Amino acid sequence: MNQLGFSKTDIFGEDIEDEENGEEDCHDRVKEEDDEDGVSHRDSSAGSSTSSSASSSSGSSESGSRTGSDDEDDGDGDTGVSGGGVREVNTMMDEDKDLFGSDNEAYVKTPADSPFPIPVLPTLTNSNNHGRGAYGRPIRSNRNSNDRSQPLLPWPGGSFQQRNNRFSNVRNDERFISEMKLTKSEETLSRKNIEIQKPSEIACYSRVEGGQVLFDETNMRLFNRNVCDYVGSDLNEGFESFVEKTDLGSEGFGDLLGCVRNKKIPLDNIHFVTFRNNMNKIMATAYIRNEPWKMGVYKRNRTVYLDVHKMPEKQKSSFEHKCCYWGYSFEKLATEDSRLVDGDHHIDANVEFCSVLKTKLGAHRIVMGAEMDCFDTSPSGNKYYVELKTTRELVDYRTEEKFERDKLLKFWIQSFIAGVPYIIVGYRNDTGQLVRTERLSLHDITQRVKSKNYWQGGVCLAFADEVLCWLYGTVKENENYVLQFVYPYQRLELLQADSCPDTITSHIEVLKDG
């Protein structure tokens, strides 16, 4: 028992009913004694129901004022004293009661009703397609247009749709065919030993000014080994006459297929025909999960054709246009005959040279087109390609970490998958001045990030192998699909496409007639 006379047992235990019954009996006895002698009982109750003199004084003062008021209303002194005594006892007992204790008789006996109507919650609908195995949280349906009432409580952080369904598997696209969930960890993928065959060049083609395509080495450029002499050059030179790259869509893929036909490259035992750009996207998704992409997928004669689909982009600012130009400007400096006598620095981004390569990743044979910046020769006379890259100067630890974690990963994938052994990086400042250059080999890059555990090239290869296995086994002959990765979902989705590009259809017809 404590000072107030309450039991130390658990207030939610089995003896609650005993305490409540005891308090009720005590309260009845107080009423009976009060009827006999209100004044005497008030004095004794005031002394026993408080634990300090200050509390007793406050209770007596309050009860006295209430008693006087009741005397005036009733006009009967004896009745007022008796009624005041009861109210005084109840008041002092209320002050000592625990709100959630078992002796709170008034709280326990409070009726569970309300004068207000019961609120009506909005109806819930579930748009999941359970027939395809999609399970997720339901989406709130729109209220009736005539219902002007607000919801009972707002959704935290905005409406359910505005929060991008981040933790939901809701799939509203009726074109959905299949998915590959990205659930395997880096450790699991690192245990897989995926072999890749060294890429070998089987053809090439050039796109000259005006858009004409030549199946030769016309636009192949030689690497300028004295590029370090141009440190301090202004990469803005010639920006006014810059011709930006035009999005050719499926027409560009048609040029690759045209080169395949021109060189009579057999595709009977080839699993995939694609641009290197598609392989870059797939391999990089092993680590980079915040960049959406999509590509067309078309299976014809047991060969899957992967067409590049460009994602919609926001309008570039003037600074972003200049950053894009600085890359082309550095490429012109890093190749032979880049400095013309008359000072002409005209650059057309549509002029390019593409190599057609054959490789094997895991069990899948791939024919791949890859744009090449330039080439160099070894002391023995062997030709090899060189990648040219431009990036902002690394000014602190944060920029260096981002460079090694993201950019070096993309540099490595793009070069490794095409068998390019070296990368020349030009570092520039924010005004477009070439600050320094650096030559990186694929081995240098892997050793640079290995100690920091940023990423592993073997994980990218293992991830790409799983994607190709799932994709080739899922798509059907003569069907059209779109493969996409949409942030923030951790899965690849295969959707039904409406049609096949004319470039692929005509390519298949030519092969059939030939």
Side-chain angles (χ1 to χ4, degrees):
M1 300 291 288
N2 57 19
Q3 292 180 352
L4 299 180
F6 298 145
S7 173
K8 293 184 179 180
T9 57
D10 184 5
I11 59 174
F12 299 105
E14 298 178 352
D15 55 350
I16 293 180
E17 297 181 357
D18 297 337
E19 292 187 10
E20 290 180 353
N21 295 334
E23 293 296 337
E24 291 177 359
D25 296 340
C26 179
H27 190 62
D28 294 337
R29 288 195 299 272
V30 169
K31 286 185 177 180
E32 294 174 359
E33 294 174 3
D34 187 52
D35 292 338
E36 297 176 357
D37 189 0
V39 177
S40 176
H41 180 73
R42 178 186 60 186
D43 294 340
S44 61
S45 298
S48 62
S49 62
T50 59
S51 59
S52 65
S53 59
S55 175
S56 175
S57 174
S58 174
S60 301
S61 174
E62 181 179 355
S63 62
S65 61
R66 292 179 180 175
T67 303
S69 176
D70 292 340
D71 288 345
E72 293 178 0
D73 295 339
D74 298 337
D76 188 351
D78 295 339
T79 306
V81 172
S82 177
V86 175
R87 280 189 294 271
E88 184 179 59
V89 171
N90 292 337
T91 300
M92 288 183 293
M93 291 182 66
D94 289 342
E95 290 178 352
D96 292 336
K97 288 180 179 179
D98 181 9
L99 179 60
F100 298 99
S102 60
D103 59 340
N104 191 351
E105 179 183 5
Y107 178 81
V108 174
K109 294 183 178 181
T110 301
D113 56 6
S114 172
F116 301 100
I118 299 176
V120 180
L121 299 178
T123 59
L124 300 178
T125 60
N126 193 338
S127 61
N128 293 339
N129 190 342
H130 294 289
R132 291 174 176 166
Y135 298 93
R137 296 172 57 185
I139 299 179
R140 298 174 61 200
S141 63
N142 295 329
R143 295 191 304 274
N144 191 306
S145 58
N146 296 326
D147 182 11
R148 299 182 180 179
S149 62
Q150 296 296 325
L152 184 64
L153 288 175
W155 287 90
S159 66
F160 185 71
Q161 291 83 357
Q162 292 174 347
R163 288 179 289 151
N164 296 326
N165 295 332
R166 180 167 298 182
F167 306 106
S168 171
N169 261 340
V170 174
R171 190 182 296 107
N172 297 321
D173 201 329
E174 294 297 332
R175 303 174 301 163
F176 175 79
I177 299 297
S178 181
E179 69 176 13
M180 175 182 169
K181 295 184 178 180
L182 311 183
T183 56
K184 289 192 176 181
S185 65
E186 178 183 6
E187 181 181 0
T188 301
L189 293 173
S190 64
R191 296 195 188 104
K192 298 184 64 176
N193 185 19
I194 303 301
E195 295 183 357
I196 181 170
Q197 186 180 64
K198 183 178 180 180
S200 59
E201 187 175 64
I202 55 179
C204 64
Y205 65 94
S206 303
R207 180 176 286 106
V208 298
E209 286 193 68
Q212 183 182 2
V213 176
L214 306 175
F215 301 121
D216 56 27
E217 301 177 348
T218 300
N219 288 341
M220 187 169 64
R221 298 177 294 182
L222 179 64
F223 172 63
N224 182 9
R225 297 180 180 177
N226 297 321
V227 63
C228 56
D229 295 340
Y230 296 122
V231 171
S233 299
D234 186 7
L235 299 178
N236 293 283
E237 184 179 352
F239 177 70
E240 295 77 11
S241 60
F242 175 52
V243 179
E244 294 193 53
K245 195 176 187 68
T246 303
D247 182 18
L248 299 176
S250 297
E251 182 181 345
F253 193 48
D255 295 335
L256 171 61
L257 299 179
C259 182
V260 170
R261 296 193 304 271
N262 180 267
K263 299 300 180 180
K264 296 181 173 21
I265 301 173
L267 300 178
D268 297 337
N269 62 343
I270 300 299
H271 297 95
F272 292 93
V273 177
T274 180
F275 273 116
R276 175 177 58 177
N277 182 267
N278 287 330
M279 296 301 300
N280 295 344
K281 296 173 183 176
I282 293 175
M283 294 179 66
T285 307
Y287 288 97
I288 301 176
R289 300 289 175 86
N290 60 347
E291 297 182 2
W293 51 262
K294 62 174 57 178
M295 62 186 70
V297 183
Y298 314 94
K299 192 173 186 178
R300 301 291 186 271
N301 299 328
R302 297 181 302 278
T303 299
V304 176
Y305 296 85
L306 302 180
D307 188 16
V308 175
H309 283 193
K310 190 175 182 180
M311 298 293 292
E313 298 178 352
K314 64 178 182 179
Q315 188 174 4
K316 292 182 180 179
S317 63
S318 59
F319 179 76
E320 290 173 332
H321 278 287
K322 284 189 175 182
C323 289
C324 180
Y325 176 77
W326 293 340
Y328 289 104
S329 182
F330 177 71
E331 288 181 7
K332 197 167 185 66
L333 292 176
T335 52
E336 291 288 351
D337 301 328
S338 60
R339 291 281 181 168
L340 302 179
V341 178
D342 57 2
D344 183 17
H345 206 70
H346 173 70
I347 296 177
D348 186 350
N350 297 287
V351 176
E352 61 183 7
F353 169 78
C354 289
S355 174
V356 181
L357 307 168
K358 181 180 179 181
T359 185
K360 184 179 180 182
L361 177 62
H364 300 95
R365 288 177 289 272
I366 303 171
V367 169
M368 177 175 57
E371 181 181 355
M372 297 297 181
D373 296 327
C374 59
F375 76 97
D376 200 358
T377 55
S378 64
S380 59
N382 295 326
K383 183 186 75 173
Y384 59 88
Y385 291 110
V386 178
E387 284 288 342
L388 302 175
K389 296 295 182 182
T390 308
T391 188
R392 186 172 179 264
E393 175 64 314
L394 310 180
V395 296
D396 53 24
Y397 174 78
R398 183 181 61 84
T399 55
E400 182 178 3
E401 179 185 4
K402 183 175 179 59
F403 173 75
E404 294 176 345
R405 187 183 297 274
D406 296 335
K407 283 201 170 183
L408 281 187
L409 171 62
K410 295 180 179 180
F411 291 175
W412 182 87
I413 291 175
Q414 182 177 5
S415 300
F416 180 83
I417 195 67
V420 179
Y422 295 104
I423 304 170
I424 307 299
V425 182
Y427 297 89
R428 49 88 184 165
N429 58 21
D430 290 337
T431 60
Q433 307 298 316
L434 184 61
V435 177
R436 63 184 177 96
T437 61
E438 183 181 15
R439 179 189 180 188
L440 297 173
S441 67
L442 296 181
H443 179 74
D444 294 336
I445 295 177
T446 54
Q447 291 300 314
R448 184 170 176 173
V449 301
K450 183 177 181 180
S451 60
K452 301 178 181 180
N453 199 27
Y454 286 155
W455 50 266
Q456 302 178 55
V459 172
C460 298
L461 294 175
F463 179 81
D465 179 68
E466 292 211 345
V467 173
L468 296 182
C469 289
W470 165 74
L471 187 61
Y472 191 86
T474 303
V475 297
K476 298 180 180 180
E477 188 73 23
N478 297 323
E479 294 288 341
N480 310 315
Y481 305 92
V482 173
L483 176 65
Q484 67 177 12
F485 172 72
V486 182
Y487 174 81
Y489 300 128
Q490 299 299 306
R491 64 174 180 253
L492 300 181
E493 292 183 341
L494 189 65
L495 309 178
Q496 191 78 47
D498 297 331
S499 61
C500 179
D502 295 336
T503 54
I504 299 179
T505 302
S506 60
H507 166 74
I508 299 301
E509 292 176 354
V510 172
L511 293 181
K512 185 184 300 183
D513 297 338

